[in-house]
Amino acid sequence: MDRHVTVEGALRGAAPHLLLDSLRTSLTQLYAASSADLLLIDYGYTSLRPVAPVQAPAGMPHAPVDAGPVGRVFRTQQPYLFRDVGPTATAYLPVTVRGDRFGVLVVDLPADRCGPETTESLGRVAETLGHALRVADRHTDLYRSTRRTHALSVAGEMQWDTLPGRACAGPAFDLHAHWEPAYTSGGHLLDWSVTEDELLLIVADGVGPGTPAALVSTLALTAIRNARRAGLDLVGQASLTDQALYGQYRGKSTLAALLLRLDLTNGEIEVVDAGSPTLWRIRGAVTERVELDRQLPLGMFEDTVYATQRLRLLHGDRLVFVACGTGEPPAARGYEAADGPVARALARTCRLSGADAPGAVVRALRETPCGAPDAVLVLCLDWRGHGAGSPDSRRDGRPAPPPP
């Protein structure tokens, strides 16, 4: 029987808090591994923290995300096999599920048993481990506790429990997000849903720090999901969420949001802009802000009527959503346009991968000399789908006209 299939069966049968113990036993029996360690990325995306197994002593210490073989594998998402002069080799393997990066699996093996087939097989084991972790996370606090360098605030706990994750990937797109602060909460809202034909996405500005803001975002996110799962279109989703917020807060707490539907077959986009975060497009060498007709924020008035707008993505386009809590990022100088800091940050990071760009933009905005935002969320959507034309066909950066 395939060794990977055997490991998968063992992980499925293991108790949620004993995944690493089960994995170590399987790797010892099937791969002659002398040790195995699992390191998970912390909430702040600064270090990878080792999971402490129940039935074996802890192995590796925590590792920085920007240095060393563990950090290298996490950043590049490429397996790395280290061979020294001794009898042992070490395999470093990314643990990732549908684009969402969880951490790195580190396995020590006999050097004479580390061929390409073994490395490939262990890569499949690491992917299976990622899926098992996602399920186990619903039944134990072990892995969430491991990811903390210090305590989360109550609002931060709420935010991490409601947001879907940091990334999602499909055949036609990659989506990556990064937000700060990570251990408290800026009240930001982010969610998505994917089917064969469409990607539904919402990004919203925070309404301030602390538990009150987290409660607003949680109510809004629940209303969005309720409307979406009932089959309502973008206008219906915006309207139901608007009613839920107004019914609870009577206009005193509103949410600036952007709701988007991307047709994965052709790159056509529908957008509802409810006083939204800023939206930018990088097309070839052109980086520009996408100007949308802003409508009222969600929850401001009762029975607000929303309308959609249309855009079209071309192959190779990148959309960047920037939420700074106030709708507009602060300008660094009095004479500078409000979106100047974002334009500079995007110019500095446009050549980075979709996974690295959001964090780099957040750091650039947090380093703004004057009036740095307390909370920032950046989401990067890379479109590589077919059937949406060529990026060279519209070098002026304007959206292509909607189809007839």
Side-chain angles (χ1 to χ4, degrees), residues 76-355:
T76 65
Q77 291 294 287
Q78 296 298 318
Y80 171 59
L81 182 63
F82 175 75
R83 296 176 182 269
D84 207 347
V85 294
T88 302
T90 303
Y92 299 86
L93 308 139
V95 180
T96 301
V97 178
R98 294 186 176 89
D100 204 359
R101 304 177 179 188
F102 289 173
V104 175
L105 176 65
V106 182
V107 184
D108 288 333
L109 302 159
D112 59 359
R113 299 186 62 170
C114 281
E117 291 183 359
T118 299
T119 303
E120 181 181 354
S121 179
L122 286 172
R124 295 169 64 197
V125 167
E127 182 180 0
T128 299
L129 175 62
H131 285 276
L133 284 169
R134 174 163 284 182
V135 175
D137 212 29
R138 301 169 62 92
H139 304 286
T140 178
D141 289 334
L142 173 62
Y143 309 109
R144 297 192 185 211
S145 297
T146 298
R147 296 178 59 194
R148 302 168 191 226
T149 59
H150 55 276
L152 266 71
S153 68
V154 172
E157 195 80 57
M158 292 175 65
Q159 188 168 38
W160 279 104
D161 276 348
T162 54
L163 299 188
R166 276 197 173 101
C168 180
F173 71 94
D174 282 311
L175 184 154
H176 294 273
H178 185 86
W179 57 87
E180 294 183 7
Y183 285 85
T184 54
S185 172
H188 294 304
L189 187 154
L190 169 67
D191 198 36
W192 59 75
S193 176
V194 185
T195 67
E196 182 178 0
D197 297 327
E198 67 179 11
L199 166 67
L200 295 171
L201 176 67
I202 178 171
V203 181
D205 274 319
V207 294
T211 303
L215 289 170
V216 174
S217 295
T218 300
L219 174 59
L221 181 55
T222 302
I224 284 285
R225 289 173 173 168
N226 178 258
R228 189 178 69 210
R229 293 164 183 170
L232 300 185
D233 60 12
L234 290 186
V235 170
Q237 294 172 33
S239 297
L240 190 147
T241 306
D242 176 66
Q243 294 166 15
L245 289 175
Y246 184 82
Q248 180 66 31
Y249 296 104
R250 314 306 293 181
K252 296 180 180 178
S253 291
T254 62
L255 196 69
L258 188 147
L259 295 84
L260 178 147
R261 176 190 174 275
L262 169 60
D263 189 324
L264 297 177
T265 67
N266 56 23
E268 296 173 15
I269 289 177
E270 284 184 297
V271 183
V272 171
D273 187 336
S276 77
T278 59
L279 175 62
W280 296 73
R281 179 177 53 230
I282 300 174
R283 174 173 290 170
V286 178
T287 299
E288 69 172 351
R289 180 168 170 175
V290 179
E291 297 293 345
L292 298 169
D293 295 330
R294 290 193 173 185
Q295 301 167 71
L296 293 174
L298 302 174
M300 179 169 285
F301 297 110
E302 189 174 14
D303 297 328
T304 302
V305 178
Y306 293 96
T308 60
Q309 302 167 66
R310 290 184 176 271
L311 304 169
R312 176 177 288 173
L313 291 180
L314 305 183
H315 178 80
D317 278 358
R318 169 176 290 180
L319 293 182
V320 182
F321 305 76
V322 181
C324 290
T326 59
E328 296 285 352
R333 295 176 294 273
Y335 59 83
E336 184 179 40
D339 55 15
V342 176
R344 290 198 309 276
L346 291 178
R348 290 165 50 185
T349 61
C350 65
R351 295 187 181 275
L352 296 178
S353 69

